[in-house]
Amino acid sequence: TVTSIKDRWLPVSEKWKEKLEKLLSSDGSKVIRIGSMIYVNKEEFRIAKGSDGTEVFLGFRDDGTEVAIKRISKCNYEVLKNEEGFLRLPELDHPSIVRYIDFAVDEFFGYLGLQLCEYTLEEYINDNKEGGLEMKKHISQFLESLLVLHCQNPPILHRDIKPQNVFLVNGRVRLADFGICRRLPKGQTTYRTGAAGTKCWKAKETLEEDTDIPYKSNTDVQVAGMLIYYILSGGHHPFGDKACKCENNIDEGKYTLDHVQDVVAKDLIEWMINEEPRRRPKVEECLSHPFFFPEELVQRVEGKKKSYSEDILGLLRFIRNLHEHEEDVAKLDLLSMFPDLFGGVYISAKSQGWN
């Protein structure tokens, strides 16, 4: 009963607390039970709506757990079953993935009970245009969530990365919506299928209206690069903010990174959104990019020295001092962070005729 759920409820969500209280005091005749979950089919308790008729409602499980109940009609039932299948995998029970809680079905709908999240990335970015260090943390958490999928054996492809499918729970980023996920066939690097994904959030090679589109891990990576730009720019798209032109620009490889000033961040984004799939990095290579160079380590070494010049020589002295004085340097593989640096310095010195 609603009363027993009320007794067991341990409030977690700040954002939805008032509405959840209201739901628990609703007229009993309006409360709908499906399996071991309850919800009220009223607009004030609906927290999201998808283009395919999917609706997400606030709800509770019998044990008092707050849930987001994703309701989808039976005609799209396969998508929901697919999502449930992935979320129930033990390897996806992870802090970077929105948690599976329950599943139920009735005459007309399938229902997926998920961890209740506070904000989508889209909502969060709209409220926090300034960014800062917090954004760098969110980007690395987002990439870690994608790595959870890509490092499985065989890998799982998400195929629907976009700001509405990345959520924040207690300040931590979690990836959601696995309805069109696919696992690569064993021993294969490509999954061939019809077009999937959301307009403007698709990789170049998947824009064809074909039934035989090659999806690979690097397909997710190009869209992840678009999302990183979206985070750092406060909501802009590298291929243009007008939907009517955006897909055409993706197809032609026309992008602009003018809304981001950080040259190292731009380097990471350009690497990820490369129109040639083979040239894009793996997720683990993204995470070892200099963009994620630990800020506190830089500050510690600068605190002792305070005189590094903003050029190659300054960087070399910085790296030398790290190796000389810092125990933490053992954790950093600087050669993998700056793969071309030493060769570049050598060629530059040679071209100048230096000894």
Side-chain angles (χ1 to χ4, degrees):
T1 66
V2 174
T3 315
S4 63
I5 292 175
K6 202 182 252 181
D7 294 340
R8 296 188 190 114
W9 176 35
L10 281 170
V12 177
S13 172
E14 285 291 319
K15 182 181 179 182
W16 303 115
K17 190 176 179 187
E18 276 182 38
K19 288 209 170 172
L20 289 164
E21 281 169 351
K22 198 169 177 186
L23 192 155
L24 286 174
S25 56
S26 296
D27 174 353
S29 64
K30 294 193 169 65
V31 175
I32 301 169
R33 168 170 290 284
I34 23 106
S36 56
M37 298 181 289
I38 62 157
Y39 78 106
V40 174
N41 187 7
K42 282 172 76 175
E43 194 158 327
E44 64 175 314
F45 300 117
R46 187 178 68 200
I47 54 177
K49 196 174 182 183
S51 53
D52 56 357
T54 303
E55 295 181 285
V56 184
F57 293 91
L58 288 172
F60 282 96
R61 201 163 174 236
D62 284 346
D63 60 6
T65 304
E66 304 166 355
V67 284
I69 299 174
K70 192 174 192 175
R71 188 182 81 172
I72 196 165
S73 74
K74 281 279 183 73
C75 58
N76 283 330
Y77 189 52
E78 284 313 305
V79 173
L80 201 71
K81 267 318 266 179
N82 185 63
E83 180 164 16
E84 188 216 9
F86 278 111
L87 286 172
R88 290 186 79 156
L89 294 169
E91 55 268 36
L92 292 199
D93 181 11
H94 191 280
S96 297
I97 306 289
V98 167
R99 211 170 61 245
Y100 165 85
I101 292 174
D102 214 331
F103 189 78
V105 65
D106 65 17
E107 195 182 343
F108 304 105
F109 298 101
Y111 302 86
L112 185 57
L114 299 165
Q115 173 181 23
L116 183 60
C117 301
E118 300 283 276
Y119 297 97
T120 66
L121 185 64
E122 182 180 45
E123 292 165 337
Y124 183 79
I125 294 295
N126 287 337
D127 294 343
N128 298 274
K129 297 278 190 203
E130 304 318 304
L133 278 178
E134 199 63 3
M135 292 306 182
K136 192 175 279 197
K137 185 179 84 179
H138 291 330
I139 290 167
S140 71
Q141 288 175 349
F142 159 63
L143 287 172
E144 282 160 18
S145 69
L146 190 55
L147 185 60
V148 172
L149 302 185
H150 286 191
C151 73
Q152 300 306 324
N153 188 13
I156 296 169
L157 311 180
H158 189 279
R159 305 199 312 152
D160 200 14
I161 292 166
K162 58 183 176 183
Q164 299 86 348
N165 284 345
V166 179
F167 286 84
L168 273 107
V169 190
N170 301 327
R172 188 189 169 94
V173 168
R174 288 180 182 250
L175 191 55
D177 209 329
F178 298 89
I180 56 172
C181 262
R182 293 293 183 268
R183 200 187 263 279
L184 286 172
K186 237 184 177 23
Q188 304 286 310
T189 58
T190 309
Y191 184 95
R192 293 189 171 274
T193 174
T198 302
K199 188 170 180 156
C200 296
W201 297 97
K202 295 179 182 176
K204 176 184 166 123
E205 63 275 16
T206 70
L207 292 173
E208 308 294 322
E209 285 301 319
D210 197 355
T211 52
D212 189 31
I213 290 171
Y215 284 89
K216 296 173 179 277
S217 299
N218 53 31
T219 309
D220 278 347
V221 169
Q222 189 185 25
V223 188
M226 298 174 198
L227 191 84
I228 289 173
Y229 183 77
Y230 176 90
I231 295 172
L232 289 173
S233 65
H236 293 283
H237 196 295
F239 291 97
D241 294 331
K242 287 185 178 169
C244 55
K245 293 183 178 173
C246 180
E247 290 213 333
N248 197 42
N249 289 340
I250 293 172
D251 191 44
E252 291 177 10
K254 284 187 191 163
Y255 61 86
T256 169
L257 305 182
D258 292 350
H259 294 97
V260 171
Q261 303 312 313
D262 184 334
V263 289
V264 185
K266 285 185 182 183
D267 181 79
L268 172 62
I269 294 162
E270 283 190 294
W271 193 17
M272 293 175 76
I273 64 172
N274 196 305
E275 58 182 317
E276 180 54 62
R278 280 177 317 212
R279 293 203 176 136
R280 297 172 201 150
K282 293 185 169 68
V283 181
E284 48 269 49
E285 290 178 297
C286 298
L287 281 162
S288 66
H289 188 274
F291 176 64
F292 299 108
F293 201 93
E295 210 58 39
E296 46 309 347
L297 200 58
V298 177
Q299 285 159 1
R300 283 239 300 278
V301 178
E302 282 188 337
K304 291 174 186 169
K305 214 65 189 153
K306 285 200 174 66
S307 60
Y308 294 105
S309 49
E310 287 287 324
D311 54 18
I312 295 289
L313 194 59
L315 179 59
L316 286 172
R317 285 185 53 219
F318 174 76
I319 291 171
R320 177 204 166 271
N321 286 337
L322 267 182
H323 275 275
E324 290 293 311
H325 309 297
E326 287 291 333
E327 316 75 66
D328 292 8
V329 81
K331 297 176 193 161
L332 292 176
D333 181 359
L334 287 157
L335 271 170
S336 74
M337 294 178 94
F338 301 97
D340 302 326
L341 172 67
F342 298 96
V345 170
Y346 165 75
I347 289 162
S348 163
K350 192 177 174 191
S351 70
Q352 294 294 325
W354 294 349
N355 184 331

